[in-house]
Amino acid sequence: MGASERRRELGYLCVDDFVRDAVGARALAGAFELGLVDRLQQQSCTHAELAERSRLDGRGLRLLLGLLHANRVVEQAEGRVRLAAPFAAALQYRDLLEAKLDFTAIVAPDFLESFTALLVDPERFFSTAKVFELFAYQRCFEPSADNYANTARWMRITTALTKYESAVCLERHDFSRYARMLDVGGNSGEFALRVCKRHPGIRATVYDLPLVCDIGAGHVGAEPEAGRIAFVKADAAGGALPPGHDLVTFKSMLHDWPDAGMRQFLARAYRALDPGGTLLIFERSLIEIGEAQLPYSLIPLLLFFRSYRSPEDYASSLEDAGFRGIRFEMIDLDMPFMLVSARK
Ligand SMILES: C[S@@+](CC[C@H](N)C(=O)[O-])C[C@H]1O[C@@H](n2cnc3c(N)ncnc32)[C@H](O)[C@@H]1O
């Protein structure tokens, strides 16, 4: 892959430049909440014009603009405020930027209040952390307004991440040879949608929890590919996965499960897969801390540091499940990712 293709593939990561620290991220979230970003996206403004359109007084506005300037979101010249060019460019990934701001805001208290528990007493951390109030899979069965709203909130985050991460997976793996894909834990159908958009010959089945499937059906419903994407609701008992697929994918899914659960999913996938079919795992791998401080945008992923595995961990579990021809490649995104493939 050439340098320019790689730059295009990773272009979405520019949003992290504006979520580098808590102060800058919170100021930016405030600017979105107050409609300042929308206003400045239309045209540059004076302080008076911005104050008139927002609920800010002069001192509040000056403070916010100062913080936004320090975060390289805005510039000021000749009495006018405008979006800085790199930030204006990053707004093409606005869904991802807002998802990251939301995700970091939700989990920051866990990091600040319970980081020591995360290190020394993970059980206590897991029982009190806000992040698990959000990703409450047990609330994805019973249809109620509250459960739909909670599920939709975390699905906005997973969907935005998947939208951009999928492109990388599609560049690295040849999907054109498949006819029927099953995406286990396929969430809103975003990964299946990206695959179907690129490959008109593929039909996809998304297997996920009941409320997730309902929201997912709405997510892909208006897309031209909707007729090629079916949603199958997972049963709580862990029964057979839908058969008749020559590709089974697990995208950012297996890390949610301890080893025994992960191995069960691989065994179920083996049974569901057509003979000769392929299994694909596209996942975050082990966190590596280099010389630089981790950016604030990685806090949500840091909290899952015990859940990530190496490709070798997956390779041995795949082999035990009966898979052969196991290959993997590492891909550096916001964190190290791995793309592991295996054949039945
Ligand atoms: C971390 S999310 C990943 C979602 C998506 N694949 C992505 O990359 O963003 C894990 C997914 O697994 C789903 N899930 C949880 N338990 C499941 C089960 N028993 N069967 C199928 N899917 C399940 C969740 O609802 C969620 O959509």
Side-chain angles (χ1 to χ4, degrees):
M1 177 178 298
S4 70
E5 276 168 311
R6 174 106 181 115
R7 256 198 312 280
R8 201 174 49 242
E9 187 185 78
L10 299 184
Y12 74 91
L13 292 177
C14 68
V15 301
D16 290 344
D17 292 346
F18 307 98
V19 195
R20 276 181 309 178
D21 61 63
V23 178
R26 187 61 191 90
L28 179 52
F32 277 120
E33 284 162 25
L34 293 166
L36 238 71
V37 174
D38 292 309
R39 181 91 179 92
L40 290 169
Q41 219 176 352
Q42 287 161 10
Q43 61 184 91
S44 66
C45 298
T46 62
H47 280 214
E49 286 163 347
L50 283 176
E52 193 189 328
R53 297 283 185 125
S54 63
R55 286 171 281 134
L56 289 161
D57 64 8
R59 290 175 74 165
L61 180 65
R62 273 196 302 284
L63 176 70
L64 180 58
L65 289 177
L67 295 172
L68 293 174
H69 176 74
N71 199 23
R72 296 176 306 134
V73 169
V74 299
E75 333 175 297
Q76 307 194 51
E78 292 159 14
R80 299 192 76 77
V81 183
R82 62 169 179 258
L83 295 181
F87 180 75
L91 280 179
Q92 68 185 294
Y93 311 108
R94 179 171 175 157
D95 52 352
L96 181 64
L97 179 55
E98 292 199 84
K100 288 199 175 209
L101 290 172
D102 192 28
F103 204 5
T104 44
I106 292 162
V107 305
D110 292 335
F111 181 65
L112 294 175
E113 290 164 21
S114 311
F115 183 62
T116 309
L118 174 66
L119 294 177
V120 300
D121 188 357
E123 291 303 316
R124 186 159 71 83
F125 177 81
F126 290 134
S127 64
T128 55
K130 290 262 180 302
V131 67
F132 298 108
E133 276 172 35
L134 178 66
F135 286 86
Y137 294 156
Q138 72 279 10
R139 293 184 62 185
C140 297
F141 291 91
E142 194 57 42
S144 71
D146 269 3
N147 285 350
Y148 273 120
N150 188 73
T151 305
R153 185 173 184 195
W154 67 257
M155 284 179 68
R156 271 194 292 280
I157 297 169
T158 47
T159 299
L161 289 169
T162 294
K163 179 172 164 187
Y164 299 101
E165 292 163 358
S166 304
V168 179
C169 184
L170 277 156
E171 286 304 320
R172 305 302 176 103
H173 187 83
D174 176 17
F175 285 76
S176 66
R177 60 185 123 139
Y178 307 119
R180 298 223 39 204
M181 111 181 221
L182 170 66
D183 191 22
V184 183
N187 201 248
S188 60
E190 181 64 28
F191 184 48
L193 178 64
R194 296 289 139 195
V195 174
C196 287
K197 277 190 186 295
R198 186 80 69 88
H199 297 283
I202 297 186
R203 302 182 76 81
T205 307
V206 174
Y207 180 82
D208 210 303
L209 304 177
L211 303 200
V212 175
C213 287
D214 290 343
I215 296 169
H219 174 68
V220 302
E223 300 284 345
E225 294 76 18
R228 291 193 279 129
I229 303 173
F231 285 83
V232 173
K233 295 183 177 179
D235 65 278
L241 296 176
H245 300 90
D246 55 359
L247 172 67
V248 176
T249 52
F250 289 93
K251 183 197 161 288
S252 305
M253 198 275 181
L254 292 169
H255 71 265
D256 266 351
W257 300 85
D259 287 349
M262 176 270 282
R263 284 167 163 267
Q264 269 173 26
F265 268 110
L266 295 182
R268 290 166 73 194
Y270 188 83
R271 287 195 289 274
L273 195 57
D274 291 346
T278 298
L279 182 133
L280 207 61
I281 299 172
F282 185 49
E283 261 284 354
R284 290 187 157 75
S285 185
L286 305 174
I287 286 191
E288 284 165 15
I289 316 277
E291 295 295 314
Q293 199 61 268
L294 278 194
Y296 182 64
S297 57
L298 278 190
I299 293 292
L301 307 173
L302 181 73
L303 297 186
F304 292 102
F305 80 100
R306 284 184 203 283
S307 310
Y308 302 125
R309 299 183 173 96
S310 69
E312 289 80 9
D313 292 333
Y314 283 115
S316 67
S317 299
L318 283 164
E319 211 161 270
D320 293 348
F323 289 97
R324 295 293 175 262
I326 300 161
R327 295 157 182 249
F328 68 82
E329 85 172 285
M330 300 300 297
I331 308 169
D332 261 334
L333 301 180
D334 50 358
M335 262 184 59
F337 266 67
M338 64 192 138
L339 183 57
V340 184
S341 64
R343 270 198 339 276
K344 173 168 173 177

